[in-house]
Amino acid sequence: MSHNVSLTFDGDRAHVALDRPDKHNGLTIDMLRELVRVAGIIGKRKDIRAVIL
């Protein structure tokens, strides 16, 4: 996983965090790719009811 995007789970919630404070969390192409990958991981989990970004 990218060092600028993290994914954690807490029960039925998925937490996706952007960590690029020096650029006010501005997205890069690599971060967008990572978000797509993370969405795929979350989409495979039937127990997730909410995604917090």
Side-chain angles (χ1 to χ4, degrees):
M1 198 162 307
S2 166
H3 64 276
N4 295 121
V5 177
S6 64
L7 172 63
T8 58
F9 296 100
D10 181 18
D12 62 354
R13 294 176 305 265
H15 297 262
V16 180
L18 305 178
D19 185 22
R20 200 168 169 236
D22 57 322
K23 300 292 183 182
H24 303 286
N25 287 332
L27 294 175
T28 65
I29 295 298
D30 288 336
M31 288 174 74
L32 288 172
R33 287 185 185 120
E34 188 64 15
L35 286 171
V36 169
R37 192 181 79 75
V38 164
I41 292 169
I42 294 167
K44 291 178 183 173
R45 300 245 337 228
K46 302 301 179 198
D47 61 322
I48 299 300
R49 299 190 64 192
V51 178
I52 301 163
L53 176 62

